[in-house]
Amino acid sequence: MIHYTAETFTAAEEDILRRYVTNLRQPVFALVNLPEVVKGALFARYSRTHKTLRRLLLDEFVDDLDISGDETIDATVGVARAEQLYQRVFVEYGDDSVAQLGAVHLACEQASNLLTKILERGRLMSYLEQSTRYLAYDERVQGRYRYCRPPSVMTSSAGTRYVGEIDRMFDAYGDMVRRMTAWLTEHYETPVGTQSAGGDLARRRAIRAQAFDAARGLLPAASLSNVGIFGSGQGYEALLLRMRAHPLPEARSYAALMLEELRKVIPSFLHRVDQPDRGVVWSEYLAANQAAMDEFAAEVFPDDEPEATPEVALADWDPDGETKMLAAMLFPYTDMGSAQIADRVASMTDAQRVNLVRRYVGERTNRRHRPGRALERIDYRFEMLADYGSFRDLQRHRLLTIEWQPLSPRHGYSVPAVIDAAGQGEPYDDVMERSADLYDTLEESVGRPEASYAVAMAYRMRYSMQFNAREAMHMIELRSQPQGHADYRRIVAEMYRQIAEVAGHSAVAEMLSHVDLSDGMLGRLGAEQAAERRRSAEPA
């Protein structure tokens, strides 16, 4: 079992916490007896603080709550089990839809960056993850850097080296943050005309975010993070079944912690997870399939080396997709069948097609104004060979199909342009070499899944994303904004270009009217200035 750091609280703090969390010591716990808006606000703060959720609740939320009526509640001993109806409907009759009706806010803390991607795979759940942009990851807890120490690694012949090398990667990360902060402060002044828009505080925050972005690639995948999850019983059941079958031991042991806490609040919905004839055989099915495919792939590609591929490649699309999309735009507004509508669209002039698209899309005054579901009629499949850091951000988009290959140093790494500009390429390369050497050692001693803990986030990983034009509008416009990380901004900008030029879907590209292709340092500055203006306008 992985060792997790337990928090300590005063007796008075424990008395308060017992009313609202399902345990006081474990890294996984559910939130109960709180207004929904408070649970959401807690998770919203999660991504930008080093504090655990329990500490955040005590420090920033309790004083604003009326807790006078909650003295007799003790959430740590579970809830009353008035479950007879659920047992009869859900278990006896197998009506899975009932499990969509109960939902839980679950805090998942001290999870490695390998585990967070497993936790965030489900489509029908919501996630908030601790950010690498707003927090320094080299802060120590009880004298130790925050990274996963898997038992199999720690007890292996490579255990001592693992701790030493990962510690040095964190040392290098902290040093790089300081160097980049100093360099950015010297080289990038507040743009002319904006000095008073948010003050020097906004500039300092933008520089700090840029320094964190530049140094992020040095962090190992073992780095610990906190994830807030909101999902239904059905979503959690599917997640736990996958986790119990996963080759990464951390995922399997963490699933047990999650199941224990979830059963304190929605026990009936998770009744099947560890039943021998239900969840157990289901997880065994998933594990057997994975093992069979691993074996088959090894037979098909025994000694093959991966061919060089571009960072972003449009692998598949429908040449007739735009015509099908135009027909789908008209479908809800006529009495005609799809074939008849398609015939009429095929006879339209270019001017008529443009007019149709513009009427359907309307005037999008901001990127949150999105047209209807006709855009779901057209799909794109992209294949990326890009750094793990940007994958972490893009992977959280759920209305798409994403698959990824194991993380390793096999495909090389990317170096942020600002690192080279600041003359920090050599120490950056040193960390990458250290990471690759440690991976090789761990792969030999404990196997490939846990060797990935050693891989720095700058290393490239191959993954594919398939999504429709409506999701393309959301993802590409959101991730291309100036305040975004340079790595994923570059990726989505290339997606946008290839939709227009490779697929030739100019109508789709035109609809993506809020894509930002600007190039500039301190892209976070505008957002920080706006936030500072809002803070200044708030009443004291």
Side-chain angles (χ1 to χ4, degrees):
M1 183 62 128
I2 294 175
H3 171 76
Y4 294 102
T5 302
E7 287 185 276
T8 57
F9 304 101
T10 66
E13 289 174 335
E14 288 188 352
D15 181 58
I16 294 173
L17 286 174
R18 287 182 189 279
R19 310 169 195 183
Y20 307 115
V21 300
T22 53
N23 74 70
L24 302 180
R25 297 288 180 265
Q26 294 298 319
V28 179
F29 55 92
L31 292 176
V32 295
N33 304 322
L34 288 168
E36 292 300 307
V37 67
V38 174
K39 296 176 190 175
L42 275 165
F43 275 7
R45 280 283 288 123
Y46 221 0
S47 67
R48 301 192 183 193
T49 179
H50 281 296
K51 295 178 181 180
T52 67
L53 206 70
R54 299 182 186 97
R55 178 53 59 189
L56 195 61
L57 175 61
L58 290 168
D59 290 354
E60 301 185 24
F61 287 84
V62 166
D63 288 344
D64 295 324
L65 295 174
D66 179 8
I67 64 175
S68 57
D70 297 340
E71 289 90 346
T72 61
I73 297 173
D74 189 347
T76 64
V77 299
V79 295
R81 296 193 176 188
E83 295 186 86
Q84 293 183 2
L85 175 61
Y86 284 133
Q87 288 287 349
R88 185 169 67 252
V89 175
F90 184 58
V91 179
E92 295 181 20
Y93 298 125
D95 189 349
D96 287 12
S97 61
V98 175
Q100 298 171 10
L101 304 179
V104 178
H105 287 81
L106 192 71
C108 298
E109 300 186 343
Q110 302 181 55
S112 76
N113 266 268
L114 294 180
L115 178 58
T116 62
K117 300 306 100 190
I118 300 167
L119 292 172
E120 296 168 358
R121 189 178 179 97
R123 290 190 179 97
L124 301 180
M125 307 180 89
S126 299
Y127 315 98
L128 250 296
E129 182 179 346
Q130 198 171 48
S131 175
T132 58
R133 159 167 287 180
Y134 303 104
L135 304 172
Y137 267 62
D138 60 334
E139 291 194 6
R140 297 175 185 256
V141 176
Q142 298 182 4
R144 304 200 306 181
Y145 284 128
R146 297 179 65 250
Y147 60 85
C148 184
R149 294 168 171 82
S152 62
V153 172
M154 299 302 291
T155 58
S156 73
S157 59
T160 301
R161 182 182 175 190
Y162 175 79
V163 171
E165 297 288 29
I166 298 293
D167 276 356
R168 290 184 183 91
M169 291 176 72
F170 274 87
D171 289 341
Y173 163 84
D175 186 56
M176 186 65 73
V177 168
R178 291 184 286 274
R179 289 170 181 262
M180 293 307 302
T181 299
W183 187 85
L184 289 163
T185 300
E186 178 182 353
H187 286 79
Y188 288 91
E189 300 293 337
T190 305
V192 175
T194 66
Q195 287 89 341
S196 62
D200 192 53
L201 179 59
R203 176 175 176 269
R204 290 199 303 272
R205 284 178 172 151
I207 286 174
R208 185 169 173 81
Q210 186 70 45
F212 285 154
D213 277 355
R216 177 176 74 173
L218 301 180
L219 290 171
S223 304
L224 296 182
S225 184
N226 296 333
V227 179
I229 304 178
F230 178 69
S232 68
Q234 188 177 59
Y236 280 117
E237 180 187 58
L239 172 59
L240 291 173
L241 291 174
R242 290 197 306 271
M243 292 177 69
R244 288 163 62 89
H246 204 277
L248 188 70
E250 183 190 7
R252 300 195 298 273
S253 63
Y254 210 85
L257 297 174
M258 294 172 66
L259 181 59
E260 180 179 357
E261 298 308 307
L262 288 166
R263 278 188 167 154
K264 294 176 181 178
V265 284
I266 51 169
S268 292
F269 298 158
L270 300 167
H271 179 78
R272 305 182 301 188
V273 170
D274 53 0
Q275 291 293 303
D277 61 337
R278 298 292 187 91
V280 172
V281 294
W282 195 340
S283 293
E284 289 173 348
Y285 162 79
L286 295 174
N289 284 359
Q290 171 146 342
M293 287 304 300
D294 283 340
E295 182 181 359
F296 187 81
E299 293 173 358
V300 174
F301 302 101
D303 301 309
D304 298 53
E305 290 296 322
E307 298 177 354
T309 58
E311 182 177 52
V312 181
L314 179 57
D316 190 36
W317 72 95
D318 185 352
D320 298 322
E322 279 199 338
T323 299
K324 294 174 181 177
M325 181 184 68
L326 296 177
M329 288 177 176
L330 283 168
F331 182 85
Y333 303 100
T334 75
D335 297 324
M336 314 300 173
S338 297
Q340 190 174 355
I341 297 172
D343 288 342
R344 182 61 56 87
V345 168
S347 66
M348 284 182 177
T349 64
D350 289 343
Q352 287 175 314
R353 288 175 172 238
V354 170
N355 188 25
L356 168 57
V357 170
R358 289 178 177 171
R359 283 175 180 267
Y360 187 82
V361 174
E363 184 178 354
R364 299 182 63 224
T365 56
N366 68 62
R367 63 179 174 79
R368 293 174 177 83
H369 293 170
R370 299 189 192 103
R373 293 186 173 182
L375 277 68
E376 297 173 16
R377 188 66 179 84
I378 182 171
D379 282 285
Y380 305 98
R381 178 181 173 84
F382 284 91
E383 188 172 298
M384 270 69 65
L385 186 61
D387 67 291
Y388 186 72
S390 61
F391 163 78
R392 291 174 64 257
D393 297 307
L394 297 178
Q395 184 261 353
R396 291 201 297 272
H397 287 266
R398 297 181 294 284
L399 295 183
L400 47 76
T401 298
I402 182 167
E403 293 285 357
W404 61 89
Q405 297 176 355
L407 175 64
S408 77
R410 193 175 189 185
H411 300 295
Y413 57 90
S414 61
V415 181
V418 67
I419 291 289
D420 284 332
Q424 298 301 316
E426 185 174 345
Y428 202 93
D429 292 340
D430 288 344
V431 174
M432 296 304 110
E433 183 176 349
R434 186 184 303 279
S435 170
D437 288 346
L438 180 58
Y439 173 89
D440 291 341
T441 299
L442 292 178
E443 185 179 28
E444 183 176 341
S445 61
V446 296
R448 191 171 188 183
E450 291 183 288
S452 295
Y453 284 118
V455 181
M457 293 187 190
Y459 273 101
R460 299 187 185 98
M461 184 179 71
R462 195 186 306 277
Y463 60 101
S464 67
M465 302 175 74
Q466 183 168 332
F467 46 82
N468 58 47
R470 199 159 191 254
E471 175 62 11
M473 177 178 285
H474 166 67
M475 182 177 68
I476 294 175
E477 289 185 342
L478 171 65
R479 295 300 184 178
S480 68
Q481 297 306 301
Q483 59 265 39
H485 195 290
D487 288 340
Y488 65 64
R489 287 193 73 209
R490 183 180 64 252
I491 289 170
V492 298
E494 184 61 17
M495 287 178 173
Y496 174 72
R497 185 193 70 79
Q498 293 189 28
I499 287 173
E501 299 177 10
V502 178
H505 291 173
S506 56
V508 174
E510 181 179 319
M511 286 189 289
L512 274 59
S513 54
H514 291 278
V515 175
D516 192 320
L517 301 178
S518 61
D519 181 26
M521 197 63 63
L522 300 191
R524 185 70 202 165
L525 181 58
E528 291 293 351
Q529 289 173 332
E532 190 62 30
R533 287 193 295 269
R534 289 194 297 271
R535 281 189 286 267
S536 300
E538 291 175 354

